[in-house]
Every structure is written in structure tokens, then in C-alpha cells.
Amino acid sequence: MKNKYSIFSLIKNAFSNHENWQRAWRDPEPKKEYDAVIVGGGGHGLATAYYLAKKHNLTNIAVVEKGWIGGGNTGRNTTIIRSNYLWDASAGLYDHALKIWEGLSQELNYNVMFSQRGVMNLAHNLQDVRDLKRRTHANRLNGIDAVWLETDEVKKFCPIINTSQDIRYPVLGGTLQKRAGTARHDAVAWGYARGADEMGVDIIQNCEVKGIKRNGDAVEGLETTKGFIKTKKVGVVAAGHSSVIANMAGLKLPLESKPLQALVSEPVKPIIDTVVMSNAVHAYVSQSDKGELVIGAGTDSYVSYTQKGSFNIVEETLKAILELYPIFSRMKMLRQWGGIVDICPDASPIISKTSIKGLYFNCGWGTGGFKATPGSGDLFAHTIANDEPHKLNAAFNINRFVSGDLVDEHGAAAVAH
Amino acid sequence: MFLISCPYCGERDQSEFVSGGEAHIARPKQPTELNDDQWAEYLFMRKNIKGIQFERWNHVHGCRKWFNVARDTSNDKIEKIYKMGEQPPKI
């Protein structure tokens, strides 16, 4: 049983110079056999393991991770959480996640620093205005809070935005989801890891999957750098490397992996207390609790696994940021990085069974997977445990690319691609 | 970010080009004769290789011609550039 984190445990540990905190999770060697193995120790993978143990009583399971947990896209995203997607299926999926976020810190006894500071999406041309108003109406029909703001209301909500009508892409209004916001991304991985570990889940780091062993059409186990692990169920949550794992099993996925970049500035005093996104000029910005501006740039147009990204992409994003926020003109950028995102043709994820029995994929989250972490884990756990999708992820099966029943969310994805 | 040697214009910055994705996916001669699985395979499924990938590029801000590139997607190093219609090189 793990010690509960509280103000009292904080005070108690202060007396021993914080040297006696209990380990948050073990560092086990893999057993010979598990009931299920999750490939990928990011937020989604760890959440999947947590809900498999918690809701489906599958505790003889493991998470295998090539590097260290939360070291991939979980630690590389811009931490934005929202659910204002257009279609019913997406609204169900992303709002399911948002509802779990609202009680997650209490559930995990781990402060994920979920902050409902609101997310504003700006419109810069007549088509933006029409599309965003339509999305607002669709959101409200699905019970998701969304309001349309005129230009003066945008200015009132976020005073540092340049709402002059003389700029190249003037702000013509925007939408606001007040329940949306940000969370501390590392804490999400650590909180789920701690919770899963407590229920007996083995989290095995520095363990890379090298092959998937099949017996006919069924999974038999995984070849890893720490030896063979026997299991009948494998849930793959490998983000940008999903296709690499799929190729090991002889499967092809409708994915392309591309670098997506983000950057942070030097820390400054509080200046922007919300998240502002703009698809048309491709700029979005928020401020971390440390005071850094967190800025999301776009994807490169070509397939690459380099985790770098091109300089011209950053340059374009900063140009747009400077036009919208002239106050940032002398800010220095501290760090820039890239992550590999797996993009589906319809900009919606895949949470699905496959043609191979016991092999499940949760992938294709593209540029916006962080926001869905708790919901994704919950629904993927349901799919693995029951060998059937939950009704909220039934539409996100891999067969939609055969049936043509796509969930086109290019308009609601914050990064144009 | 890297340089690409256009077979018609010479070495230019990658930002002058657009990627057309995986190469050597031939459009089916009789799409009406395909079943849904075969059509989905042609339209959506991609190898998305980490390693040497054969892909199409277009010099969109130059001569606007298409050509093929063999590129290592794990480090963006270009191994070979060859024209449309040519067979992929053995690498």
C-alpha cells in the first residue's frame, strides 16, 4: 500500500529533509508471462494499464517502454485540454476524457495541476467565422460548453491580443470553451504509473519491443530487449512509432509519422491567463505555471522520425505570434523540440481491434492526443478487456477506412495538416 | 530541414519542395473491379517506414516537376534521387 500524498505527508517528510519519500513505482524485471502487455509507457499506455487493473481486474499485466515513462510525446506536447470537436463521435470521445480530467487529481491522489483556464479559438476570415460558429452550435447540441465571442469580447477576455482591423489577418471573433485548459503533462504519466503500480502492474522501462510472435492469426507474445514475454493480449500505444510496431506484425496502418514542434520562452510574470489558438495563422500560446510562454508550431510536411523539425516552421509560427501579440516582440525563446506524431487521414484516432486476435491498437492521435489521455486509456482498457469496443470508441475502429465512415476533424484539430 | 538535389534545378532548400508521400503506389487500372479492402489499401494504408523510404517530391517553388527520392526517415539523409517512371534503386 502506498502512502497517501497530503499536506500532512508533506510536512512529515520536510522534517527528514525529503529524503524518505517512498518510491512512486517499482522497477521490476519482466515476468515470463502476463495476461496482457501494453506497448508504450506514455500517458495513454499507463492510463490503459491503470484502468485495466482498476475497472477490469486485470492486474497480471505489464507496460513495456523503450525509454523512460512519459519521455515521448507525453513530455513533448503543449498540455492543452479541450473537447470542442465537431462530430458527435468526437464530442463523445473528447468530452468523456474532459470529465475524467475534472476529478483526476483526486482519483489518482496525484496533483496533475489541471487548470480550467479556458481555450479560445480565433477566427481570421469569413470562412473561419462560419466554421467556428457551426462548431459552437454542434458543441452545444452535444452538451459541450462553447460560446461565440465577438472581437471586442475576445479583447476583453485576453487583453494582449492585437485586435486591430489593420493587421494582415484581423481577429473577427472567436470561440471559448471555459471548461478547457491545461494540465501538467509529466504528472499525468507519473500519477497513472503510481496508481497502476500500486495495483500490481509491472512498469518495465528500457525495454524495447523487437518483434511480435504470432501463432496463425493470434498473438503469442513479444520479443523484447529483455527477452521473450508470453501474452495473449497486446495493446499497442506507441504514438509516432505505431507503424513500426504494426509492421512487425505484418499489418499496415493508415498513418504517416511527422515531426511536430513546440517551443517555450524565458519565464516572465503572468501575462496570459488562458489558452489562445489560431488555426488560420497557425499560432497557439499559453503560459506555464513557471511563467514560460508555451508555443505550438506546425508539422513538417514529410514523413520523418527525427524528433527535430524544420526551422522555417518555427519561423512562421513566431511571425504569427508577433502579429497577434506585439507585446512579445522582445521575448527570448529558451528551448525548442520536436515529437513524432502519427497522423490519420481524417485527423481522428484509431482505438481498435485488428485482424490479428489479441492485438489492439490505440494510435493516430496526431497532433492532439494529450487532451484525451484519461478517456483514451479508459476506452482502450475496455476494448482490450472485453475484446469489443466501448460505444464511445466504436466509431474509431480501423475498419472505417474500408467502410468509408470517416470522422473528419481537420477543422477542429488545432494544427493544420 | 535538409537540402534536396532537384534532378532538373540542382541543390535547393527543402522548403522549396513538397512531399507527395510514399512512391510506387500505382493507381489501380480498374478501380470499379476492386473490393472495399483493396480500395482502402490503395487509398489509405501506408508503410510509414522508419528507415529507407521511397517517396515522391515536387519542386513546387521551382520547376514544379515531380521526382522520386530514397530517404532515410530516421535521420533525413537522402540516399538517392531518381526520376518518375524509374524503378526504385536497391539500397
Side-chain angles (χ1 to χ4, degrees):
Chain A
M1 187 66 192
K2 288 206 167 33
N3 295 335
K4 197 169 156 36
Y5 289 154
S6 67
I7 182 79
F8 303 108
S9 68
L10 191 64
I11 293 166
K12 190 178 142 216
N13 279 281
F15 286 112
S16 53
N17 298 317
H18 295 292
E19 285 170 355
N20 295 325
W21 284 100
Q22 191 186 20
R23 271 192 86 132
W25 53 85
R26 295 164 294 128
D27 188 19
E29 286 301 307
K31 291 188 222 163
K32 287 208 161 49
E33 184 173 358
Y34 289 99
D35 294 338
V37 176
I38 305 301
V39 179
H44 289 241
L46 293 163
T48 305
Y50 174 84
Y51 291 113
L52 273 174
K54 189 178 178 196
K55 287 187 158 180
H56 306 283
N57 293 322
L58 270 172
T59 52
N60 182 32
I61 62 173
V63 177
V64 293
E65 163 58 45
K66 180 169 73 172
W68 61 93
I69 59 166
N73 291 350
T74 302
R76 292 166 193 267
N77 62 76
T78 49
T79 79
I80 295 161
I81 294 161
R82 62 190 172 90
S83 65
N84 56 353
Y85 281 71
L86 177 66
W87 300 106
D88 294 353
S90 317
L93 178 68
Y94 291 103
D95 211 50
H96 177 62
L98 184 48
K99 284 180 189 134
I100 302 177
W101 277 115
E102 287 174 331
L104 193 62
S105 292
Q106 284 73 23
E107 185 186 338
L108 294 177
N109 179 228
Y110 204 103
N111 188 2
V112 298
M113 298 165 85
F114 180 50
S115 157
Q116 292 178 295
R117 59 183 70 183
V119 169
M120 195 157 63
N121 289 82
L122 299 180
H124 296 276
N125 55 50
L126 193 55
Q127 192 58 44
D128 274 0
V129 173
R130 289 178 185 137
D131 287 346
L132 284 175
K133 279 187 173 170
R134 178 192 177 202
R135 187 135 66 86
T136 308
H137 295 316
N139 288 159
R140 292 170 73 166
L141 286 171
N142 278 315
I144 293 168
D145 63 313
V147 286
W148 171 257
L149 303 180
E150 297 295 341
T151 306
D152 57 325
E153 294 168 303
V154 169
K155 182 81 178 169
K156 205 171 154 206
F157 190 71
C158 184
I160 59 170
I161 294 181
N162 180 6
T163 51
S164 158
Q165 294 305 298
D166 298 329
I167 62 176
R168 177 67 183 84
Y169 298 103
V171 177
L172 301 181
T175 64
L176 174 63
Q177 184 182 16
K178 281 203 167 172
R179 283 164 64 232
T182 60
R184 170 105 169 93
H185 48 186
D186 302 315
V188 179
W190 298 336
Y192 273 122
R194 181 170 171 265
D197 181 86
E198 184 170 7
M199 291 182 283
V201 176
D202 281 354
I203 297 165
I204 303 158
Q205 304 184 70
N206 298 311
C207 180
E208 185 178 355
V209 171
K210 291 291 192 185
I212 295 175
K213 195 174 172 208
R214 283 166 59 177
N215 179 10
D217 275 342
V219 167
E220 276 205 325
L222 292 171
E223 301 285 355
T224 75
T225 49
K226 292 195 173 183
F228 180 72
I229 302 174
K230 196 175 166 191
T231 182
K232 287 199 167 69
K233 289 190 172 188
V234 173
V236 182
V237 206
H241 283 68
S242 297
S243 297
V244 176
I245 306 279
N247 290 341
M248 291 176 190
L251 279 181
K252 256 162 110 180
L253 296 172
L255 299 175
E256 286 196 311
S257 295
K258 296 174 176 180
L260 174 66
Q261 293 177 82
L263 51 160
V264 293
S265 73
E266 58 191 334
V268 291
K269 286 182 180 175
I271 182 73
I272 178 164
D273 62 356
T274 185
V275 182
V276 186
M277 323 185 83
S278 170
N279 261 12
V281 299
H282 213 295
Y284 63 96
V285 64
S286 61
Q287 191 170 16
S288 74
D289 294 339
K290 285 187 283 184
E292 304 154 326
L293 295 182
V294 183
I295 294 169
T299 56
D300 281 304
S301 66
Y302 50 86
V303 170
S304 180
Y305 287 84
T306 53
Q307 293 190 326
K308 284 192 296 203
S310 303
F311 184 74
N312 57 315
I313 304 278
V314 171
E315 196 177 18
E316 280 157 25
T317 291
L318 288 178
K319 271 189 216 162
I321 293 276
L322 288 190
E323 186 170 72
L324 277 179
Y325 310 92
I327 192 173
F328 295 149
S329 65
R330 278 172 288 172
M331 287 283 275
K332 293 187 182 78
M333 293 298 140
L334 273 193
R335 288 178 290 126
Q336 167 275 347
W337 64 92
I340 306 303
V341 297
D342 45 329
I343 298 171
C344 262
D346 59 355
S348 283
I350 296 167
I351 312 171
S352 177
K353 294 161 66 169
T354 63
S355 54
I356 298 166
K357 191 171 161 36
L359 184 62
Y360 308 85
F361 268 87
N362 182 354
C363 60
W365 289 94
T367 57
F370 175 73
K371 65 174 78 68
T373 305
S376 157
D378 183 32
L379 300 173
F380 195 41
H382 181 101
T383 306
I384 293 172
N386 299 301
D387 199 35
E388 278 301 323
H390 187 279
K391 66 178 185 344
L392 287 176
N393 68 309
F396 298 96
N397 67 71
I398 199 163
N399 284 332
R400 72 177 189 268
F401 298 97
V402 176
S403 68
D405 200 7
L406 303 184
V407 188
D408 184 359
E409 286 291 358
H410 282 283
V415 177
H417 45 65
Chain B
M1 195 168 211
F2 44 89
L3 297 173
I4 299 176
S5 241
C6 171
Y8 307 97
C9 311
E11 195 168 70
R12 302 292 174 87
D13 191 278
Q14 174 267 317
S15 59
E16 287 191 18
F17 300 80
V18 290
S19 169
E22 192 179 322
H24 308 297
I25 301 174
R27 186 181 166 85
K29 289 211 165 64
Q30 288 292 345
T32 48
E33 289 172 9
L34 300 185
N35 62 32
D36 288 349
D37 282 319
Q38 291 167 321
W39 184 244
E41 174 76 19
Y42 160 71
L43 200 59
F44 292 125
M45 300 304 164
R46 295 291 177 265
K47 289 184 193 149
N48 196 25
I49 289 169
K50 183 179 186 179
I52 307 277
Q53 167 160 292
F54 301 109
E55 47 194 27
R56 299 171 304 169
W57 283 79
N58 183 272
H59 193 184
V60 68
H61 298 300
C63 63
R64 305 194 64 194
K65 287 198 173 97
W66 285 94
F67 56 94
N68 292 315
V69 173
R71 186 172 58 93
D72 189 337
T73 58
S74 66
N75 57 16
D76 287 345
K77 193 172 160 238
I78 292 174
E79 300 287 340
K80 181 93 180 161
I81 288 174
Y82 55 106
K83 290 184 179 171
M84 296 309 277
E86 291 178 14
Q87 289 300 309
K90 293 213 171 13
I91 296 172

